[in-house]
Amino acid sequence: MTVDYASALVAAVFFAAAPLMLAALGETVSERGGVINLSMDGTVLFAAMAAFAVARGCGNPWLGLLAGAGAGAAIALILAVFGLFLGASELAVGFVLTLFCRELAYFMGHGVARQPGPDLGSLSVPGLSDIPFLGQALFGQSPVVLLSLAALGLVWWFLARTRPGLVLRAVGESPRAAASRGVAVRRVQLLCCLAGGALAGCAGGLYSLSVKPGWGHPQGCEGAGWIALAIVIFGGWKPVRVAFGALFFAAIQVAGIALQDALPGLSGALFQIAPFPVMILTLLAVNLRRSTAFREAARRVPLLGRLMPRSAGGAPGAIAGALDKGF
Amino acid sequence: MDVVLSHIVKRFGQLIANDDVSLTLEAGRIHGLLGENGAGKSTLMKVLCGQLSPEAGEIVVDGAAHARLTPDAAAALGIGMLPQDPLDFPPLRVWENFALGGGPVLTRREARSRLEAVCSRMGFCLRPDVPVADLTVAERQHLELARLFDRDVRLLILDEPTSGISPAQKRTLFAVLRAFVSDGRRLVALVTHKLTEARELCDAVAILRHGRLAGSFAAPFDTQDVLTAMFGAEVAATATAAPPPPPEPLGLGTPVLRAANLVIADDKAVLRDVSLEVHPGEIVGLAGISGGGQEALLRGLAGIARSVAGELAIGGRDLAGRPATDFLAAGVHYLPAARMEEGLFPGLSLLDHVRLAFPDKRREARAIFAERCVGRFRLTNTPNARADALSGGNQQRLLLSLIPDDTRLLLADNPTRGLDAASIAQIWDHFRERAAAGAAVVFFSEDLDELLAQAGRVLVFFNRDMAADLPAASLDPGLVGDLMTGRSTAAANGGGSAP
Amino acid sequence: MTRRAAPLVRAAWALAAAFAVTLGILLAAGAPPFATLAVMAEGGLGSQAAALRTLAAFTPLLLCGAALCVTFAANLWNIGVEGQITMGAIFAQGCLRAADPAGGLPAGLDLALGLAASALGGLVWALLAGMLRTHGRVHEIFSGLGLNFVAMGVSLWLILGPWKRPGMASMSGTETLDQALWLPALGGRPMSMVGPILAVAAFVGAAWLLRRTFFGLTLAAVRQNALAATRLGLRPGLRILAAMGICGALAGLAGGILVAGLYHRLIPSISGNYGYTAILAVLLASGSLLALPAACLFFAVLTVGSVQLPLSLSLDSSLAGVLQGVLVLTLFAARRLRPLSRRREP
């Protein structure tokens, strides 16, 4: 394997990871504030459709991306109204929205299906793209990669370093305690849900405008939203770990495509579904790693603890019961 | 600062928690608010600090009347509350908790320097970068107090602040409170159900009973008068009488429970190397601060938390590592502290609970309900009522009635927490009956006075380890408190193994 | 308004709101709203052939709906029904293509074995998700969803690989089964009635299990409070596995009926979204067993009716899913909007 080939693979991984990273970061923001937005898959698809349709209509892909973000925020608004203000189950509404938005995307997008349209093109940052090995991957190929890295930096800085980020984390850990200190809990949760939805909407836009350009039934990014949801758990609700999770799953996709070329005997169907068993296995590993029985075993056999990935912390308090449960 | 609560009414559905309560709190004094559990003390204080809105009445602060307060408005008036269970954000760091809520928006550096300032003023020791989850209950109290002092609180409300901290920590807290009111402008309202604490600290007490003001006294006050106001004349007489001595073991034959070098892995913590024997007829009390390991021991002995190493035999049967059903079959039953959250099915009827608890006799559920639940345990609800309609006392009566009579080892986590005096008396009578009939009872109570009064033998836990195993008669609350906070060891006090 | 009438009034509100939202969506998509709805109604109910197609869609929906009632009773989000249908279809196809209609066993027994195999396939796939939950702490939403994709991949691989048609692999599915291995169509009807009968029987059985047996009560106990169930020795883990197993077996049976009674071969995406649609139907019935068949029937009409849309109006057939989603969301809103006056204190 030449250095050039390896460098190209790394570039492909960062490119494929960009929308996954945005969607997973969006869900991270939402869940750190205590709102589980289960509608990720539908959000990404619908936003992809909306972004492509608007970009085609206006001839400007960046307006399309904005429309995608708006669509994502609108879906998050529906979820927030039901979950926060009508007291419905977030999981149930999120799941119905997943199906609804997916079908709505296919229905509304029928007119622009299999049509040519603009895309975000490529972009090279002078100077930085000449850095050996990683330069081309990060700064030399597409604005998509820069966008995802910028989102990562922004989300990390917001959650870890700003006052509103601190309030958001506090609300996600204990809404009751936050309310007793005078925080307007539902307003904070509404805002974090909207911001998360907008980020996921951007992810949809990145798919239809760059990573898997165009629209169709199917589009090709089906299932990405679910993987983003799993990445959040895998990353322990921490932005940087979540970003690594997105890179990991993108690497699996890229490896699938690369192996498909290398081993033509195996069916492509197997490589397309590869991320999903890996998703289940990573969740299994992460959850077993967090169990007390494993901690006790690792105390006796230190090697075990070193072999498994380091525990990334638990779920925010407000949602710990909802998705982190086990018997 | 002077605060007047005037004709406050607060309802929860059918229940009237505060029924026309009027109260005057004067500056420079420590006011006690006494009453049984469920008397409406906490509700009244939540109204005062803006967490609840009253249906009627008003809150007058320094002459200005308010029909209701919000948490923000109360904080702006200088009213702050230290809730019974720490209401903070465990995964966040100390300085982040300190910076959150009320007051000016602080930068990281400002928050840290202000935390340092208030800590050195009050004599607290808090490291700013530690997650709050790693603090003890007392340290979390200090953090919350530091935050309130920094926000220049003038009326400080404390809701049962001494549950979960040791007697030494209690003395420190009381000294801080006395210093707090010493300038004559600030005041403290202390909610408690313990008369001794009120006597020790308060300049005046008000007593609530069934949601109404039942009396108010200025220090020094007569114990009997206060007790009568709290419980009514008849119960007050029995409440002051000492409980009968705990039963002796029925003989040193086969122990009900034998554990050797047992290691228990609970959800949160691992309890290491416990060895103990419990004999029929014994009532054993567990002491420790929350998370000290005693809760893990109870769940491990019930088979709910896994025992990962060591030996555990119940009635001679080896059960280490076995599933919970084997423990049930061996006659082990566990009474959880969170009765609704861990013990009952909120949406199912009481009759369904009986069916689930006695599956072999589910066709006779109605007869069992009438005979056991109503007849023996004096449960006052109908069989078709839903469990979420039960009061705390009735929840515990239902749970007790669902435990079969042939139980050999009864494990109870804070069996009387939050209950009224009549229910508490019933529970201890019942435990003593079971012990006399040959069962062993192992319980954990956060109330050291209760623990020493009811147990024949006390196991003290510190830092997920058993620190002492001593007869109750040889102990006093101060010593147990020192043991469970690691200030003293069993060896230093000449203690050894129990019989 | 009496207590009994309240759900009906809510349903009426939900229907009206859903209708309004649907009109908005159709207008936004540039479709003639009333002509579109007329095409759907005509396509779902307009002729005997249409009604039979609706019945064919109703069968897997009711089976999966009944199956989902069992898992919802234990508080499980069994999103993996879709994959359990697919696995059932794969097992049925595998069993039936191995059967030799000419000799050996009578055709009826072959068919019974095929359907039993389909139930087994669904059961295995559901137990996998169940054990990931009980032993691996992986939430069933993720395991179920992942296994859906895996089942789809396996069926594609079989169709294009080991089970491909002689000569060439085709996305139109495997070779058609021998006619002796089709579910029998009685009285000259173009469609077998065995499937619908099995579906109704499964529904009645599930209703009896949940409402009349001790097992149903223990599932309710697990849903209400798993910790308390552990304390009473009810072994919630085992009961979760049992609920998943029952659900998977019924969903797998639905897949088997699709193979033996409708397509007579294995096709890609044979589960046809029935699993997801059934979840919506159960949510629409909102826990009422009586309302479930009506919800399934309505959704079957929508699903079948929308198939005509691309041909007659050049619209995407996903409108059925849009309508189903709108209906469930408006019902959620109607159910939640009423008690706005009595908001609880924190």
Side-chain angles (χ1 to χ4, degrees):
Chain A
M1 191 187 286
T2 63
V3 173
D4 279 353
Y5 184 61
S7 167
L9 276 187
V10 170
V13 168
F14 272 95
F15 187 53
L20 272 182
M21 203 184 288
L22 274 187
L25 285 172
E27 183 67 17
T28 304
V29 170
S30 196
E31 291 191 11
R32 281 302 280 271
V35 182
I36 300 178
N37 187 347
L38 203 59
S39 74
M40 276 294 127
D41 200 42
T43 302
V44 169
L45 259 178
F46 185 77
M49 187 280 295
F52 183 72
V54 169
R56 209 177 110 81
C58 310
N60 182 340
W62 295 99
L63 276 181
L65 195 62
L66 210 61
I75 295 163
L77 179 67
I78 300 177
L79 182 87
V81 166
F82 274 93
L84 298 176
F85 298 98
L86 298 181
S89 151
E90 271 162 29
L91 289 190
V93 174
F95 181 72
V96 174
L97 275 176
T98 307
L99 301 184
F100 168 67
C101 294
R102 185 180 71 185
E103 304 296 317
L104 189 63
Y106 292 143
F107 182 70
M108 305 280 275
H110 193 67
V112 293
R114 291 177 301 280
Q115 304 283 318
D119 69 27
L120 291 170
S122 61
L123 176 120
S124 185
V125 184
L128 288 175
S129 59
D130 298 331
I131 300 170
F133 201 70
L134 277 179
Q136 194 62 27
L138 298 181
F139 307 108
Q141 47 176 347
S142 163
V144 162
V145 177
L146 288 178
L147 212 61
S148 68
L149 295 178
L152 168 64
L154 200 69
V155 167
W156 175 83
W157 173 77
F158 174 76
L159 285 177
R161 284 284 178 266
T162 69
R163 170 82 182 186
L166 175 59
V167 172
L168 183 147
R169 281 186 288 142
V171 165
E173 291 301 343
S174 172
R176 209 166 65 88
S180 82
R181 296 192 186 187
V183 176
V185 170
R186 282 197 291 194
R187 194 167 67 204
V188 171
Q189 291 194 320
L190 173 69
L191 288 175
C192 79
C193 185
L194 289 182
L199 272 174
C202 277
L206 294 197
Y207 272 120
S208 65
L209 296 173
S210 179
V211 177
K212 291 181 193 291
W215 177 253
H217 182 177
Q219 200 273 340
C221 67
E222 282 84 357
W226 289 109
I227 291 186
L229 278 164
I231 288 173
V232 176
I233 300 177
F234 175 73
W237 292 267
K238 294 189 168 58
V240 177
R241 282 170 184 275
V242 163
F244 276 111
L247 287 171
F248 173 63
F249 277 92
I252 289 166
Q253 287 173 345
V254 170
I257 295 164
L259 278 176
Q260 204 175 338
D261 293 340
L263 307 165
L266 278 167
S267 164
L270 289 185
F271 289 111
Q272 276 166 23
I273 60 156
F276 295 97
V278 174
M279 171 182 95
I280 295 175
L281 289 177
T282 49
L283 289 180
L284 191 64
V286 167
N287 288 330
L288 287 183
R289 185 73 175 78
R290 284 183 192 137
S291 72
T292 328
F294 180 86
R295 286 211 303 274
E296 180 56 25
R299 195 176 65 88
R300 285 147 191 279
V301 190
L303 185 68
L304 261 181
R306 273 185 232 128
L307 283 178
M308 296 283 275
R310 248 190 56 195
S311 176
I319 62 165
L323 273 180
D324 199 31
K325 65 184 165 186
F327 287 97
Chain B
M1 181 189 211
D2 291 302
V3 176
V4 181
L5 288 161
S6 165
H7 303 289
I8 299 289
V9 177
K10 177 68 200 171
R11 290 191 192 85
F12 295 106
Q14 300 276 309
L15 179 83
I16 304 184
N18 287 153
D19 187 3
D20 194 27
V21 179
S22 298
L23 203 61
T24 302
L25 305 174
E26 292 163 34
R29 310 183 76 175
I30 296 179
H31 294 265
L33 191 56
L34 277 162
E36 272 199 282
N37 287 306
K41 314 180 292 284
S42 294
T43 304
L44 189 65
M45 290 302 109
K46 283 180 181 164
V47 166
L48 180 53
C49 72
Q51 289 182 26
L52 295 174
S53 313
E55 266 92 44
E58 54 187 22
I59 302 149
V60 186
V61 182
D62 285 336
H66 306 263
R68 56 163 59 181
L69 293 173
T70 61
D72 266 346
L77 289 169
I79 301 173
M81 175 149 159
L82 181 71
Q84 182 171 6
D85 297 313
L87 202 50
D88 49 21
F89 309 97
L92 303 191
R93 294 169 201 286
V94 164
W95 76 263
E96 289 176 328
N97 267 276
F98 177 78
L100 270 166
V105 174
L106 302 175
T107 65
R108 187 186 172 88
R109 191 179 309 150
E110 283 166 353
R112 292 166 71 114
S113 74
R114 288 175 73 146
L115 174 63
E116 203 180 347
V118 73
C119 278
S120 67
R121 202 166 73 226
M122 308 309 303
F124 298 155
C125 176
L126 295 166
R127 284 174 297 159
D129 286 317
V130 178
V132 169
D134 292 353
L135 302 185
T136 65
V137 174
E139 284 170 330
R140 285 166 83 169
Q141 262 184 5
H142 290 168
L143 171 58
E144 191 66 9
L145 286 174
R147 188 178 70 84
L148 292 170
F149 292 155
D150 178 73
R151 305 297 185 276
D152 202 20
V153 63
R154 288 179 298 152
L155 165 54
L156 178 61
I157 306 167
L158 300 103
D159 192 355
E160 306 278 6
T162 58
S163 61
I165 66 173
S166 74
Q169 290 165 339
K170 187 176 93 173
R171 280 193 297 277
T172 314
L173 174 69
F174 282 7
V176 166
L177 295 181
R178 282 196 200 94
F180 176 73
V181 296
S182 60
D183 71 348
R185 292 187 298 115
R186 298 182 287 206
L187 65 155
V188 166
L190 175 79
V191 175
T192 180
H193 68 282
K194 289 185 183 169
L195 185 53
T196 48
E197 279 175 10
R199 290 183 69 87
E200 201 179 328
L201 188 67
C202 296
D203 303 309
V205 291
I207 288 113
L208 283 186
R209 183 162 177 242
H210 302 321
R212 291 172 159 273
L213 192 66
S216 46
F217 307 88
F221 35 82
D222 180 67
T223 308
Q224 201 55 45
D225 290 349
V226 175
L227 282 175
T228 308
M230 275 172 82
F231 299 106
E234 325 88 71
V235 186
T238 52
T240 43
E248 291 293 312
L250 292 174
L252 294 173
T254 29
V256 174
L257 160 70
R258 208 180 66 77
N261 305 108
L262 189 64
V263 179
I264 292 165
D266 200 2
D267 268 354
K268 297 180 195 83
V270 175
L271 176 66
R272 307 241 159 83
D273 294 333
V274 178
S275 300
L276 87 145
E277 282 189 4
V278 177
H279 292 270
E282 266 196 292
I283 296 185
V284 179
L286 309 181
I289 50 177
S290 167
Q294 63 282 0
E295 301 104 325
L297 176 68
L298 286 176
R299 282 198 289 272
L301 295 181
I304 295 168
R306 276 169 51 81
S307 49
V308 292
E311 295 164 36
L312 173 61
I314 311 275
R317 281 172 63 182
D318 181 25
L319 290 179
R322 308 289 306 165
T325 38
D326 288 8
F327 284 76
L328 283 171
V332 182
H333 285 267
Y334 170 62
L335 214 51
R339 294 172 200 118
M340 191 54 86
E341 292 75 16
E342 290 180 42
L344 298 171
F345 308 101
L348 296 188
S349 72
L350 307 189
L351 211 52
D352 280 340
H353 281 79
V354 175
R355 290 193 183 105
L356 288 164
F358 304 102
D360 305 332
K361 293 185 258 177
R362 58 180 182 268
R363 312 224 170 272
E364 307 144 40
R366 257 171 211 287
I368 295 176
F369 183 82
E371 184 262 327
R372 280 187 81 84
C373 309
V374 178
R376 273 173 53 195
F377 288 90
R378 303 198 294 281
L379 190 64
T380 48
N381 301 72
T382 60
N384 292 325
R386 277 162 49 124
D388 53 11
L390 295 183
S391 69
N394 281 342
Q395 288 171 13
Q396 194 67 303
R397 286 189 187 92
L398 176 64
L399 280 169
L400 283 173
S401 69
L402 296 181
I403 294 175
D405 291 334
D406 56 2
T407 298
R408 302 164 87 167
L409 176 60
L410 180 60
L411 307 161
D413 188 352
N414 278 298
T416 61
R417 182 196 278 170
L419 300 187
D420 57 288
S423 303
I424 293 175
Q426 189 191 350
I427 286 165
W428 288 117
D429 286 347
H430 177 70
F431 282 2
R432 268 192 289 271
E433 257 172 54
R434 288 216 183 235
V441 178
V442 178
F443 74 96
F444 163 48
S445 174
E446 280 174 349
D447 184 340
L448 291 184
D449 298 327
E450 176 182 55
L451 191 83
L452 293 176
Q454 303 294 348
R457 188 176 141 203
V458 175
L459 314 181
V460 188
F461 287 80
F462 167 62
N463 200 15
R464 296 185 280 288
D465 215 346
M466 197 164 90
D469 178 353
L470 298 164
S474 71
L475 292 167
D476 63 77
L479 176 55
V480 176
D482 286 347
L483 285 168
M484 68 193 215
T485 47
R487 289 159 63 101
S488 166
T489 59
N493 286 281
S497 226
Chain C
M1 183 165 58
T2 65
R3 247 204 147 87
R4 194 174 284 273
L8 291 178
V9 173
R10 279 205 298 269
W13 271 111
L15 262 178
F19 189 68
V21 174
T22 306
L23 283 188
I25 290 173
L26 287 173
L27 288 173
F34 294 101
T36 308
L37 293 179
V39 166
M40 288 184 83
E42 174 73 22
L45 294 168
S47 62
Q48 202 202 354
L52 279 175
R53 277 196 296 275
T54 298
L55 189 62
F58 172 70
T59 302
L61 277 181
L62 186 62
L63 265 170
C64 295
L68 281 162
C69 282
V70 179
T71 41
F72 271 117
N75 210 14
L76 293 166
W77 272 93
N78 185 11
I79 286 179
V81 215
E82 194 77 9
Q84 288 147 25
I85 299 175
T86 308
M87 263 302 145
I90 289 172
F91 270 54
Q93 173 76 15
C95 186
L96 290 175
R97 73 193 290 278
D100 178 9
L105 300 168
L109 200 57
D110 276 338
L111 268 172
L113 275 178
L115 291 184
S118 70
L120 181 71
L123 181 117
V124 167
W125 217 235
L127 282 186
L128 199 52
M131 288 179 69
L132 280 167
R133 162 71 185 269
T134 55
H135 291 76
R137 297 166 170 239
V138 179
H139 197 277
E140 66 274 7
I141 287 183
F142 291 102
S143 57
L145 186 99
L147 289 174
N148 286 351
F149 280 98
V150 174
M152 198 179 75
V154 171
S155 75
L156 267 178
W157 172 66
L158 286 170
I159 289 167
L160 299 176
W163 293 355
K164 67 183 173 205
R165 288 185 177 181
M168 56 168 287
S170 155
M171 283 298 275
S172 64
T174 60
E175 206 178 356
T176 308
L177 291 168
D178 189 291
Q179 203 149 5
L181 296 173
W182 296 12
L183 282 180
L186 300 175
R189 287 194 195 84
M191 195 194 115
S192 168
M193 286 298 129
V194 175
I197 291 168
L198 279 175
V200 171
F203 170 69
V204 173
W208 173 78
L209 187 73
L210 293 179
R211 290 290 145 86
R212 288 274 175 269
T213 64
F214 185 64
F215 180 75
L217 179 61
T218 58
L219 284 191
V222 171
R223 179 187 67 223
Q224 294 267 334
N225 194 339
L227 279 170
T230 309
R231 219 179 48 81
L232 284 179
L234 296 176
R235 311 185 84 162
L238 271 186
R239 286 181 201 277
I240 282 175
L241 288 182
M244 286 298 276
I246 293 170
C247 179
L250 292 181
L253 188 62
I257 288 170
L258 287 174
V259 166
L262 192 64
Y263 299 116
H264 310 303
R265 63 182 194 278
L266 186 64
I267 59 170
S269 308
I270 192 165
S271 51
N273 240 3
Y274 288 128
Y276 292 133
T277 311
I279 295 178
L280 290 181
V282 174
L283 289 177
L284 186 71
S286 49
S288 154
L289 282 169
L290 277 178
L292 181 63
C296 288
L297 187 63
F298 185 44
F299 280 6
V301 172
L302 289 180
T303 303
V304 172
S306 68
V307 175
Q308 307 294 327
L309 290 176
L311 290 175
S312 48
L313 289 169
S314 177
L315 293 171
D316 198 284
S317 62
S318 52
L319 182 61
V322 174
L323 285 183
Q324 288 156 357
V326 166
L327 206 54
V328 174
L329 285 177
T330 51
L331 186 80
F332 279 176
R335 194 169 342 137
R336 297 292 164 178
L337 275 176
R338 253 169 38 83
L340 208 64
S341 49
R342 47 188 170 94
R343 188 166 288 160
R344 278 179 301 150
E345 297 276 359

